Structures are given as structure tokens and as C-alpha cells.
Amino acid sequence: MKKNLAISCILLAVVTIFSLYFYQERETKSLPASIEPYTETAVILSDYIDFEKSIYIGHKSDHEILYKNYADNYIRSVDLNTQEQQELIKLDTQTNGTMTTFDYKDNWFVWSESQDAELRVGSSIGENWAVYAADLRTGEIIFVDGENDFFPKTRNFDPHPWSLSVNGSFVVYASYTANEDGIYPAIKIYDLNNHKLEIADTADSMQTTFGSPSVNDKNVVYLKYDSNGSSLWTYDIEKHKRMCIEPPEPLQEICITNSFIIGVSEWQPQKSESLYCYDFAHKKWSKQIDATTKLYPNNIDSTLEFAELQSSNDFITWRPITGNALYVWDITTNKVLDLSENVSGLIDYVLYPFDEDYLVWCETNTQTQETKYPCIKISSES
């Protein structure tokens, strides 16, 4: 009797452990994200800014937006309640070149420029290129990086950054480093508080290139391309250490949030792309959205593709390459927010940056050809 009881206890323990194992597996398994309509009302920014003469920069507060005028190079704020405008800073620089790209976060406006007459990938050389940062609180303009005597005047590459990422304390970008040892592609980090430029990574040759990096308070993430294909790297800003992270499959685009790396799988003909998430805390990948997640309505190509990937805090936004839709994935709740009820025209593009959860896009009425710029605040509570 005692022997049978002991065997029963052992079997019960085995079944319990087995059940707990599979329960735990279910808890950690990635589930397709639920899809919900997002019905918050959009504010039309083109009622406040002339987008033919200006460019939207970001939000200064919940009721204040920032824009830069093309003609006079001033950054101004507009109060959405009173429509009162205020001049904040004029972007006077030593080079005064053509602005190529910019980013804005936490009162820091950063941009790159060059004096190329035409900016074309593959033919521009980034003549007299430079990177600057403007503190909108103090009006100070800081020279971050730029041309030096080691860069040849006649060259077949463009060393100036085509994209920038700022988090309020650091600016990161892909560029080139040039010194007495040679010229190589590089990932660079500039500390806005201590005014120091650091090289996070350099390529072994000009044949190796870097994708656009993304930064949060602790890490920089970027893709590196060489003869072996692409590889994903992180750089710990505090520890000054690089680490290669192997994704489940090769990635074509990445961005970083407060706690995660988001990656889009490489494009393949007739195959849907997948959205992967890497959790820094648990050092674990999960596939969050793929072809099994029914996102797009029937009038849109069923092949799942992610264009214009951007992040803000723990929100990710994209739109399909084909079709007229706009989505935001809330990582913390694992919900996809469908913004189609706020889209009344043909989406031309999503504006950069997706800052402090304010999403702005450009759309055109196909009948009247009128263009407008809706803006909506994304919230988990809505």
C-alpha cells in the first residue's frame, strides 16, 4: 500500500512538473497581437503650419508644436490653443549648407548638412559636411562633427549622415572617420552633456557599411553589412562595449524603444515580412507579428510588409507598402492600433520623428487634391 502510494505521489509530481512546464511555455510563447480601432480625433497641423514653406519638427508640449521655416531658417513654436507663435532660435552655422536630415527629442534639435548642389544617394559627396545640435532651451548651437583635412576633396563617397537619432542625451549616426590611419565607415556617438564625440564601431574596409543606428538611454543598435550579409550589433554607452546579437532571421530594418529592439525580416519575393522583438531584460527574441496576424483589409495586398518603421517610447508605427493604412503596435499591451478611422485621404508618407507618441502623417484627398497633415497622440489608455 505504501509502495503504491509512493508511486502515485511520484507520478503526480511528474504530471505537475510537466503541466507547469507547458503552462510556462504557453506564458512565454509569442501570441499574435490583437487589433483594435484607434478612434481618438486627430488635430490637423496644416491649419497651423504652412507645410509648403516649413517643416514640422515635433511637439514642445501637448499644446505647442515646433516647425522650421525654409526661408529664414528660424525654429518657431505655435500654441495650438491661441495660435500664438514664438521665435526660438535661428539655425546659423559656419557652413550654412543644405539640411539633409534631422531629429528632435527633449528640446534638442540635431541635423546634418552639406553644400552639395544636389543631394543624391550614390552621386553626392557631402561637400563641406557637418553635424550640429541646437539646444532650444538656451539657443546654443553646438558643432558635433564634420569635414576635416583627411577627407579628400575629390572622392566617390558621401561621408555626411543621411539619418540621425537623438534621445536627449546622445546623438548617434552612421558616417565616416578619417585620420592618419585612413578613412573608414563608422558608427559615432556624441554626448550632448559633455560635448564628446566617440567612435562606437568602425568597418574594416570601405566595402563594409552600416545601417541607420537607433539610440535609447543605454544602448545603440545598428545593422552592419559585409560580405557575409547583415549582422545586428548593440553598443552599451556606459560600458563602451559592443555585442553582436543573432536574430532569428536576417533583418532589413531596426529601431530601439525603451526596453526592446524591433526588427523587420529581410524582404523576399512572394513572402510576408515578420516583425521581431528583442527583450533586453530577458535577452530573448519573439516573433510578434507575421502573416498569421490578420491586419490588412481585403482590399489591400495580403503580403505583409512594413514601411517607415519608427518608435516612440514603447510604441512602434509603420504602414503597408501597398494600400492605404496606418498602424501602431503597443508593445506593453501587445495590441495593434488601427488608425484607419483617422485617415480620410491617400497617405503619402509618415512624418519623422514619431516624437513623444505624437504621430503625424501626410495625406491627399484624391478628389480635390487637397493635402493635409493630421496629428494624433497615441495612448495605451485610449
Side-chain angles (χ1 to χ4, degrees):
M1 182 72 178
K2 289 183 179 180
K3 183 177 180 181
N4 291 337
L5 181 62
I7 293 173
S8 298
C9 289
I10 292 171
L11 287 172
L12 178 63
V14 170
V15 170
T16 302
I17 293 171
F18 187 78
S19 301
L20 284 173
Y21 170 79
F22 277 98
Y23 173 77
Q24 197 171 35
E25 184 69 23
R26 287 198 302 271
E27 286 295 298
T28 57
K29 184 179 179 181
S30 302
L31 299 174
S34 63
I35 307 162
E36 299 181 2
Y38 195 74
T39 57
E40 292 294 310
T41 304
V43 176
I44 308 303
L45 295 190
S46 38
D47 292 342
Y48 303 89
I49 302 174
D50 186 346
F51 278 83
E52 292 185 358
K53 300 178 180 179
S54 309
I55 186 169
Y56 165 80
I57 289 175
H59 271 67
K60 185 180 179 184
S61 67
D62 285 341
H63 62 90
E64 291 177 290
I65 56 176
L66 300 169
Y67 75 95
K68 186 183 83 71
N69 185 281
Y70 293 126
D72 61 17
N73 232 19
Y74 269 99
I75 291 181
R76 293 177 172 88
S77 65
V78 182
D79 191 308
L80 299 180
N81 296 329
T82 66
Q83 297 196 28
E84 180 182 353
Q85 299 201 19
Q86 181 182 0
E87 291 181 354
L88 299 180
I89 187 174
K90 186 174 183 180
L91 302 181
D92 274 335
T93 64
Q94 295 177 348
T95 51
N96 285 320
T98 301
M99 184 180 295
T100 309
T101 187
F102 72 89
D103 196 10
Y104 169 78
K105 181 124 179 123
D106 296 338
N107 290 299
W108 282 101
F109 179 75
V110 298
W111 74 99
S112 67
E113 61 180 49
S114 79
Q115 293 182 336
D116 282 350
E118 295 182 357
L119 296 174
R120 296 179 179 176
V121 176
S123 61
S124 298
I125 64 169
E127 181 182 357
N128 204 20
W129 68 279
V131 179
Y132 293 95
D135 188 339
L136 302 190
R137 295 159 297 189
T138 65
E140 180 185 15
I141 295 178
I142 300 170
F143 174 79
V144 173
D145 192 13
E147 191 98 21
N148 63 37
D149 293 337
F150 292 103
F151 285 101
K153 297 300 180 185
T154 303
R155 57 195 182 222
N156 60 357
F157 65 96
D158 185 350
H160 96 286
W162 287 84
S163 69
L164 299 159
S165 179
V166 61
N167 73 340
S169 299
F170 300 94
V171 182
V172 300
Y173 52 95
S175 180
Y176 288 76
T177 180
N179 52 42
E180 59 274 3
D181 296 326
I183 303 172
Y184 300 100
I187 295 291
K188 297 183 178 182
I189 305 173
Y190 186 81
D191 188 327
L192 292 166
N193 297 316
N194 298 315
H195 296 189
K196 289 183 178 179
L197 182 65
E198 179 182 357
I199 307 296
D201 199 357
T202 56
D204 297 330
S205 70
M206 295 290 279
Q207 281 67 49
T208 299
T209 59
F210 294 103
S212 299
S214 184
V215 62
N216 64 13
D217 292 337
K218 297 179 180 179
N219 293 283
V220 178
V221 298
Y222 56 94
L223 292 171
K224 192 173 186 178
Y225 302 92
D226 57 24
S227 58
N228 297 317
S230 67
S231 55
L232 174 64
W233 291 80
T234 66
Y235 183 80
D236 188 309
I237 298 174
E238 182 179 349
K239 297 178 180 178
H240 307 282
K241 289 185 177 180
R242 291 191 303 271
M243 181 175 68
C244 185
I245 298 177
E246 185 174 354
E249 61 177 303
L251 303 176
Q252 63 171 314
E253 193 172 2
I254 57 165
C255 63
I256 195 171
T257 74
N258 293 338
S259 308
F260 306 95
I261 299 173
I262 307 301
V264 178
S265 60
E266 282 188 353
W267 180 86
Q268 297 182 38
Q270 307 302 317
K271 180 183 178 182
S272 290
E273 297 170 354
S274 298
L275 197 69
Y276 288 95
C277 178
Y278 179 80
D279 187 332
F280 276 107
H282 298 94
K283 296 181 173 56
K284 184 178 180 181
W285 284 100
S286 59
K287 183 191 285 187
Q288 296 295 142
I289 301 174
D290 61 13
T292 65
T293 309
K294 183 61 178 175
L295 283 177
Y296 305 156
N298 294 330
N299 63 334
I300 293 180
D301 190 339
S302 60
T303 302
L304 191 60
E305 295 177 321
F306 301 86
E308 300 174 12
L309 189 74
Q310 292 190 56
S311 65
S312 176
N313 294 315
D314 280 331
F315 292 117
I316 301 296
T317 186
W318 76 92
R319 67 185 186 95
I321 293 176
T322 57
N324 201 49
L326 189 60
Y327 298 96
V328 173
W329 174 38
D330 184 346
I331 302 177
T332 56
T333 63
N334 197 26
K335 294 178 181 179
V336 171
L337 308 176
D338 182 355
L339 275 65
S340 60
E341 291 190 22
N342 277 282
V343 178
S344 58
L346 181 65
I347 298 176
D348 297 311
Y349 54 90
V350 178
L351 272 67
Y352 187 85
F354 179 23
D355 174 56
E356 293 303 323
D357 305 339
Y358 288 97
L359 184 63
V360 184
W361 67 94
C362 174
E363 64 178 52
T364 301
N365 186 305
T366 54
Q367 294 181 340
T368 65
Q369 298 304 308
E370 177 189 6
T371 299
K372 63 180 181 180
Y373 294 79
C375 171
I376 195 167
K377 177 70 180 284
I378 306 300
S379 171
S380 296
E381 283 74 38
S382 297

